[in-house]
Amino acid sequence: MPYVVCLIGPDCQEKEQILENLPQALGPKGLKTGIIKKKQNLDKAPPDTLELAEKGFVLKAQAKEKTLPQLLEAFFSEHDLVLTTAHDQAKKAKLELVLSGNPGQDPGVRAYISEKPIDSGKPTFSPTDLAGLAEFVAKEVMPEKEPARVRILLSGERIPIKGFVQDIIANAIRAMVASLRSGDKPGRLEVFIDK
């Protein structure tokens, strides 16, 4: 499951640009990043419509039909990180855009994005300093990599597996695949078994 960082603050062009351009700045850090954003200009769509975008691919989904964990599982299972403006109430790490005045009081804020310094004890990045913000997210916000996790789906339904059993399955499959030609390359390993 990817790590989630919420971009909060006023809905504006600067926020949209940060959301759309930060994934590119995170790419050299080795992070595959997707975005979930609220659909703007909702003239023909209901207000709970979300727009999911990743590398130009756009998919529309109803927020009431998908919880954040369901969206992550369905569309972002191969990502390391998802940036979202659609889930600002979630208890996730947050980056707050402050255009004027004082920042909010959300305890989840890890850094501010502002043209002016903010006296909070937390780092402040200029909206144009995406390289610095990406470095901060990669080193200070992202958790340490967890051991490989195994997911088993039977006819689309996920079967719960305890961590210890996941480790056994992952290690056994890795050992078998490593003995195959080109099986020792690093990367995501997928195994499909049809019953």
Side-chain angles (χ1 to χ4, degrees):
M1 194 75 78
Y3 192 72
V4 175
V5 173
C6 301
L7 181 58
I8 64 172
D11 290 332
C12 59
Q13 186 63 32
E14 288 91 341
K15 188 175 177 183
E16 285 294 309
Q17 289 174 341
I18 293 166
L19 184 70
E20 292 174 7
N21 294 321
L22 189 54
Q24 292 174 348
L26 287 160
K29 308 292 178 201
L31 296 173
K32 183 175 181 185
T33 306
I35 63 173
I36 301 174
K37 63 180 179 175
K38 289 180 185 177
K39 182 169 172 57
Q40 302 299 320
N41 305 322
L42 298 170
D43 52 347
K44 295 182 181 177
D48 57 356
T49 298
L50 297 179
E51 183 179 90
L52 284 73
E54 190 256 328
K55 291 189 178 176
F57 176 74
V58 175
L59 172 76
K60 294 178 181 174
Q62 296 300 318
K64 64 185 177 185
E65 294 172 1
K66 298 275 186 187
T67 64
L68 179 57
Q70 288 171 330
L71 288 170
L72 296 175
E73 181 72 29
F75 304 107
F76 299 101
S77 62
E78 295 184 15
H79 289 72
D80 302 301
L81 172 67
V82 170
L83 300 170
T84 179
T85 56
H87 300 89
D88 53 353
Q89 300 301 315
K91 292 183 179 178
K92 303 290 182 185
K94 295 181 172 97
L95 305 172
E96 183 174 352
L97 175 64
V98 180
L99 296 177
S100 62
N102 295 321
Q105 300 298 315
D106 194 312
V109 171
R110 302 291 297 277
Y112 295 102
I113 304 166
S114 176
E115 290 293 350
K116 299 178 182 177
I118 295 176
D119 186 21
S120 66
K122 296 177 182 174
T124 302
F125 297 90
S126 163
T128 58
D129 184 14
L130 293 181
L133 186 58
E135 184 77 21
F136 175 78
V137 169
K139 289 189 174 178
E140 303 295 330
V141 177
M142 290 290 295
E144 292 291 323
K145 288 255 187 192
E146 294 182 14
R149 291 289 152 225
V150 174
R151 293 180 301 133
I152 297 179
L153 292 102
L154 181 58
S155 299
E157 299 270 332
R158 189 172 185 166
I159 298 174
I161 313 170
K162 294 188 183 268
F164 175 70
V165 177
Q166 290 183 40
D167 291 339
I168 291 172
I169 294 170
N171 291 334
I173 291 175
R174 274 194 204 113
M176 288 184 277
V177 171
S179 67
L180 302 173
R181 186 162 55 130
S182 301
D184 56 350
K185 292 180 182 176
R188 181 180 174 89
L189 176 63
E190 295 182 353
V191 178
F192 302 94
I193 302 173
D194 295 322
K195 266 179 107 173

